[in-house]
Amino acid sequence: MPELPDVETFRLYFNKKALNREILAIKVFHPKVLRQVSEKKARQELLHQKFKSTKRHGKNLFAALSNGLYLCFHFGMTGSFLFYKKGNLPPFTRFQIDFKEGHLAYIDMRILGGLTITDSIEDFIEKKDLGPDALSIQWDDFKTILKRKGTLKPTLMDQSFIAGVGNIYADEILFQAKLNPLRNNFSLSLKEAKTLFTQMKKVLKKAIAIKADVNQMSKTWLLPSRKTHENCPRCKKEIKRITLRGRGTFFCPHCQK
DNA sequence: TTATATGTTCTTGT
DNA sequence: TACAAGAACATATA
């Protein structure tokens, strides 16, 4: 479930399992997983290198190699990592890095994600037209984004404005800020905009702290009840589901004005 | 069998 | 120009 908190969780997992270990082999199990890079080039650049550190921007993960390049991961809708020592290849493994200590599998059932190599994170962000990371964005920039016309939830989710917020955390952020996803950006008061900004940071940080695990989420959150016919954790009235920009959107019409 | 699923990108319409 | 809406990608599950 790879939005910002999930990707940050993958980053910490990657640090624990893959940093400072020699890459002995890479395996590509599905041709579509490599983006803008050939298997040959990937092998050339990765073999016998070590990962030295990681960075995250929005939903993208960058792993710095000892040769100065970066391996960039995007997890699409169903991507994740799994480190294992022995046994069978995990289902839907699309790419794998072998170390002496074990194997890091990049798993992605739907293959909507993928990986590539870049020599500059800044160029990568520029090319992908990504806005500032949702955890680093400053209030002034956030305020400016809300000045353009458009609908609140799609604006929050647009990666060129703010990088990292996806469909389900957008629902949670709006629920915590008590704002209706269909509101127009320009209809927000300064106070509402400030609340939205604060709640965005708060929700994302909290989600990272619990490793984006739905089972550990507070009972005051919408996400555990983000299904049809569930009730709002705040007012107990039924949660509504609408389709917005082709995505399921859950909210409480009573609490979110 | 149909609807839905956490993302991105492209096309078409307003 | 900028925003909205839908499809496509590949696969699983209810």
Side-chain angles (χ1 to χ4, degrees):
Chain A
M1 353 165 209
E3 295 185 31
L4 188 151
D6 310 275
V7 177
E8 182 63 15
T9 305
F10 296 153
R11 188 179 75 82
L12 299 174
Y13 184 79
F14 185 96
N15 283 354
K16 220 162 42 181
K17 304 298 185 185
L19 245 41
N20 300 310
R21 291 177 166 177
E22 188 189 351
I23 301 168
L24 297 182
I26 62 163
K27 288 173 186 146
V28 179
F29 296 105
H30 195 290
K32 287 208 166 162
V33 77
L34 293 183
R35 310 275 162 116
Q36 335 274 319
V37 64
S38 67
E39 187 171 341
K40 190 176 160 199
K41 158 125 173 148
R43 187 159 283 126
Q44 249 169 29
E45 303 294 5
L46 289 169
L47 282 196
H48 309 301
Q49 302 289 320
K50 290 177 181 176
F51 294 109
K52 302 311 286 180
S53 62
T54 53
K55 271 191 184 154
R56 185 192 51 70
H57 187 97
K59 303 170 190 171
N60 295 277
L61 172 62
F62 304 92
L65 290 155
S66 29
N67 61 10
L69 298 176
Y70 299 89
L71 183 60
C72 325
F73 294 92
H74 193 285
F75 297 90
M77 258 166 98
T78 52
S80 64
F81 285 140
L82 181 67
F83 185 85
Y84 66 103
K85 294 196 171 169
K86 41 185 114 155
N88 293 332
L89 197 67
F92 307 113
T93 300
R94 309 304 190 186
F95 180 81
Q96 181 170 286
I97 301 170
D98 294 336
F99 305 101
K100 185 170 73 134
E101 297 84 352
H103 317 280
L104 183 74
Y106 170 87
I107 299 169
D108 186 2
M109 185 178 79
R110 290 173 67 181
I111 325 173
L112 299 174
L115 44 115
T116 191
I117 290 175
T118 186
D119 57 4
S120 155
I121 296 180
E122 288 70 35
D123 286 357
F124 181 95
I125 290 170
E126 167 104 37
K127 261 188 216 139
K128 291 255 170 180
D129 191 24
L130 297 174
D133 183 81
L135 278 183
S136 340
I137 190 171
Q138 303 291 304
W139 164 240
D140 278 350
D141 294 328
F142 188 79
K143 214 168 48 179
T144 310
I145 288 163
L146 289 181
K147 285 208 176 104
R148 50 172 82 229
K149 72 174 186 186
T151 315
L152 201 46
K153 185 179 171 190
T155 302
L156 266 187
M157 286 174 61
D158 190 321
Q159 303 299 299
S160 69
F161 300 156
I162 305 166
V165 178
N167 196 34
I168 75 170
Y169 282 97
D171 279 1
E172 187 64 53
I173 290 162
L174 290 167
F175 179 76
Q176 294 302 331
K178 299 186 179 152
L179 292 168
N180 189 300
L182 292 167
R183 287 273 294 270
N184 281 113
N185 298 338
F186 61 74
S187 77
L188 294 205
S189 68
L190 194 65
K191 195 177 160 210
E192 287 174 321
K194 186 87 202 190
T195 304
L196 182 59
F197 178 75
T198 314
Q199 289 301 332
M200 175 176 82
K201 306 260 180 181
K202 208 168 146 186
V203 165
L204 294 175
K205 279 184 196 159
K206 200 124 184 226
I208 290 170
I210 56 165
K211 297 185 160 52
D213 180 354
V214 184
N215 297 315
Q216 291 186 55
M217 283 176 190
S218 157
K219 299 232 161 28
T220 64
W221 276 29
L222 176 70
L223 290 192
S225 327
R226 198 179 170 282
K227 308 175 191 116
T228 28
H229 307 308
E230 290 274 336
N231 295 324
C232 167
R234 198 151 40 207
C235 74
K236 309 298 175 202
K237 294 193 175 143
E238 191 167 340
I239 288 167
K240 194 170 176 194
R241 180 189 187 283
I242 58 169
T243 299
L244 186 48
R245 284 282 218 287
R247 328 292 311 185
T249 296
F250 293 81
F251 68 107
C252 172
H254 181 250
C255 296
Q256 293 172 260
K257 295 301 180 193

